[in-house]
Amino acid sequence: MEVRTQLRRAAGYFSSEVALVHNERRLTFAEAWSRGVRLANALAALGLKPGDKFATLEKNSIAAADSFIASAIGNFVRVPLYARNRREAHGHMMQSTGCRLALVDSDLASEVAGLDTEIALLERIVIRDEGYEDWLASASDRDPDPVVSPDDYCVIRHTGGTTGKPKGVAYRHRAWMMICAAFIEGGPSIHPGDAVLHVGPLSHASGFMFLPGWYGGARTVMMDSFDPRSFLDLLEREEITHGFVAPTMLNALTHYEGSFGRSFPRLKWLFSASAPISEATIRKSREIFGDHVLHSGYGQTEILPIATMGPHEWFAQIEGSTPLRAVGRPKRGVDVEIRNEDGKTLGPNEPGEIVARYDGAQMDGFWDDPQETASRMVDGWIKTGDVGTIDANGFLYLLDRSNDMIVSGGFNIYPTEIESVIADHPAVLEVAVFGIPHEKWGETPLATVRVRSDAQVTEAELVAIVSARLGSAKKPSQIVFTTDPLPLSNVGKVLRSKLREPYWVGRAQRISGA
């Protein structure tokens, strides 16, 4: 089975039901499918052939769904670009994958302007301006019906590229369908009449829910961008049943007074992943959404999902485990180990690198990058680059990204555990911890803390809290307070690297020895 057949079948089964919702626009499955057919034919008229790659740079919209559906119909390989990325990153992603064409929202066009003259294979950039609808309507509505194999590539996504250049991870139809199914496995099934909310971009983790929502007969409801009030209003108005929310979104919701006291009777499943979540955020989120809605998970572009858990485990009292601090248990069919630098498998509660394998739902390798592939794949196992532990009950704990670890006076310090403690303080809205140079200890933790404008909290108070809970060796040597939002990546993760950089100016390396 491949993606095109799944989409086509559901378009027939649910033809008169609402498939797509964006702002005031609502399209049936038949209308959405027809737009996908027309876009596939319009792209073919520009010279795109089955198996060719085309890039997309777009926000959540009906047009973004057009791209998703058309790529399957025409058997094209979709290469999503990420809004707010550097121009160089866009260029690298298109050049390294051999994109022949780019389809770009008009308000994002400046991010890729001129790249068609700099990239040899990139023949044109199609801008979705006021003429897009007429261009689409003028294309043939006859299904091109190319031959599609489950082993054909359907999408190439990229790692975040926060360190070095983004690396392409290609998914074949077979793997994409398996990953999308696994993404929602463990939660309530999607049924006709349900509504799946995409508050994050379809180009990112939220996109894994598009296919399950479509073939389940649900409405795909899209938001342009996140803010707590609009998010909550949409949950109520559209009677949302399923959705993906980044931890930073949950954090914002817990600090918005209008979140509490609402009712979401149809909401079944809110899935949060991509970064650890503080205990304070989890507990307050439970107050907002109830006891049976929140699910957690962990994975990365190279292999996902690795671990998940539902509320029955997340909020459970289990001897020998602290589920509130975990990201889940390994999913069915996924092997997970913790290994040291020599590749030795470690025992329960011993910190090391998380390595995993998931037959059929992991990358074959990085696109056209055998050297990087060799450094991250060992005998079929993916080296995640993340540091974690597994306890005796199988709960996986994400301590931090390996390149964010702070080595201070010979101690390994993981920013996430300090952030979790500081985030529990009621005056704290956001926190990021990172290492800065220290003459005696080599590195030392610094915490940038966003607080309420009327906050009554001192540096000494927060340092004392960390010292009491984690020990004096892990307390921040400095806390910088701000009332401005912390910088976020295009997937909603706090950019520690951007906050850290000014403290390392003039140094050849971003680590420091004592």
Side-chain angles (χ1 to χ4, degrees):
M1 190 75 69
E2 28 73 24
V3 174
R4 188 264 314 272
T5 300
Q6 291 283 317
L7 293 173
R8 179 193 282 154
R9 180 180 295 170
Y13 289 164
F14 310 110
S15 60
S16 61
E17 301 298 322
V18 176
L20 302 177
V21 178
H22 179 245
N23 296 331
E24 302 304 316
R25 296 187 69 184
R26 308 175 83 84
L27 298 181
T28 66
F29 279 85
E31 291 168 334
W33 177 258
S34 177
R35 288 175 65 93
V37 169
R38 290 180 185 276
L39 180 56
N41 286 324
L43 295 176
L46 294 177
L48 219 59
K49 296 179 175 59
D52 282 347
K53 293 95 178 171
F54 78 103
T56 60
L57 181 58
E58 53 202 4
K59 297 179 181 178
N60 282 354
S61 64
I62 299 295
D66 293 343
S67 300
F68 202 107
I69 299 167
S71 63
I73 291 172
N75 198 19
F76 308 131
V77 182
R78 187 170 53 92
V79 181
L81 307 180
Y82 304 145
R84 301 202 308 268
N85 249 359
R86 293 176 295 110
R87 183 176 185 273
E88 293 78 10
H90 292 318
H92 168 75
M93 290 162 73
M94 288 190 284
Q95 181 166 328
S96 63
T97 55
C99 287
R100 294 187 56 200
L101 182 146
L103 196 55
V104 180
D105 285 353
S106 59
D107 58 347
L108 299 174
S110 61
E111 295 189 17
V112 295
L115 285 175
D116 51 333
T117 65
E118 300 173 21
I119 300 174
L121 287 178
L122 187 62
E123 297 168 8
R124 67 180 70 211
I125 298 175
V126 177
I127 306 299
R128 281 195 178 112
D129 55 19
E130 62 278 1
Y132 173 71
E133 290 294 331
D134 288 339
W135 176 64
L136 197 64
S138 68
S140 170
D141 64 352
R142 182 178 180 181
D143 191 332
D145 199 27
V147 175
V148 184
S149 164
D151 291 320
D152 288 344
Y153 289 111
C154 65
V155 61
I156 303 175
R157 297 182 72 241
H158 281 78
T159 60
T162 54
T163 57
K165 293 181 177 179
K167 296 175 283 293
V169 176
Y171 298 93
R172 302 178 192 273
H173 283 258
R174 191 191 308 275
W176 182 260
M177 290 178 58
M178 185 173 177
I179 290 167
C180 290
F183 197 82
I184 64 166
E185 186 184 36
S189 299
I190 297 175
H191 299 289
D194 283 347
V196 179
L197 178 60
H198 295 267
V199 60
L202 289 176
S203 55
H204 293 79
S206 188
F208 290 110
M209 297 193 303
F210 186 93
L211 187 58
W214 178 281
Y215 63 61
R219 301 190 310 280
T220 292
V221 182
M222 293 171 283
M223 289 186 69
D224 297 316
S225 59
F226 171 82
D227 71 84
R229 180 176 178 176
S230 298
F231 175 82
L232 294 165
D233 288 348
L234 198 57
L235 285 184
E236 289 183 336
R237 186 171 67 252
E238 289 293 337
E239 299 184 319
I240 299 299
T241 58
H242 297 73
F244 175 87
V245 284
T248 49
M249 295 174 186
L250 284 180
N251 180 54
L253 288 164
T254 64
H255 289 96
Y256 174 61
E257 291 183 3
S259 296
F260 297 88
R262 294 197 182 217
S263 176
F264 311 102
R266 293 211 62 205
L267 188 61
K268 308 175 190 178
W269 184 83
L270 278 182
F271 185 60
S272 192
S274 79
I277 311 174
S278 74
E279 289 186 45
T281 295
I282 298 166
R283 293 184 188 280
K284 290 179 181 177
S285 298
R286 189 186 188 188
E287 291 180 35
I288 297 169
F289 298 112
D291 294 338
H292 307 295
V293 169
L294 295 170
H295 291 246
S296 173
Y298 164 71
Q300 53 183 213
T301 305
E302 296 86 335
I303 174 173
L304 81 162
I306 292 173
T308 60
M309 63 179 167
H312 59 289
E313 289 183 313
W314 207 355
F315 301 109
Q317 298 293 322
I318 300 175
E319 186 176 352
S321 298
T322 312
L324 278 178
R325 298 180 187 172
V327 293
R329 281 172 159 150
K331 281 193 67 64
R332 180 177 56 199
V334 182
D335 292 321
V336 182
E337 292 183 356
I338 307 296
R339 297 181 183 176
N340 65 13
E341 294 179 354
D342 297 324
K344 178 186 175 183
T345 301
L346 302 175
N349 304 314
E350 293 186 273
E353 183 177 14
I354 301 169
V355 297
R357 63 182 177 187
Y358 191 3
D359 187 32
Q362 67 181 45
M363 69 174 185
D364 298 327
F366 291 113
W367 188 265
D368 198 26
D369 195 341
Q371 183 175 354
E372 188 67 25
T373 298
S375 73
R376 290 286 304 280
M377 291 190 73
V378 178
D379 297 330
W381 291 78
I382 306 291
K383 300 172 66 177
T384 68
D386 293 336
V387 179
T389 62
I390 298 178
D391 67 23
N393 295 316
F395 284 95
L396 177 65
Y397 303 84
L398 181 62
L399 299 179
D400 233 304
R401 313 299 178 188
S402 59
N403 58 342
D404 284 336
M405 186 178 72
I406 302 164
V407 181
S408 183
F411 287 93
N412 292 343
I413 300 174
Y414 302 105
T416 296
E417 59 182 343
I418 302 175
E419 291 169 354
S420 183
V421 171
I422 293 175
D424 284 344
H425 195 286
V428 174
L429 298 176
E430 292 181 289
V431 55
V433 173
F434 49 89
I436 63 172
H438 190 278
E439 184 175 342
K440 181 178 181 181
W441 305 118
E443 294 178 87
T444 187
L446 179 145
T448 298
V449 180
R450 179 190 171 206
V451 294
R452 300 177 182 275
S453 57
D454 59 350
Q456 299 294 318
V457 60
T458 66
E459 180 177 26
E461 181 182 356
L462 292 182
V463 169
I465 291 171
V466 175
S467 184
R469 286 182 55 178
L470 300 179
S472 61
K474 295 183 178 181
K475 67 184 181 185
S477 61
Q478 183 180 348
I479 292 181
V480 176
F481 290 103
T482 180
T483 56
D484 296 327
L486 302 187
L488 301 178
S489 72
N490 47 31
V491 293
K493 298 179 184 177
V494 173
L495 288 172
R496 290 180 185 146
S497 57
K498 188 171 183 178
L499 294 167
R500 180 174 55 215
E501 185 62 25
Y503 296 92
W504 293 87
V505 171
R507 294 174 178 263
Q509 294 178 299
R510 292 301 181 262
I511 57 173
S512 178

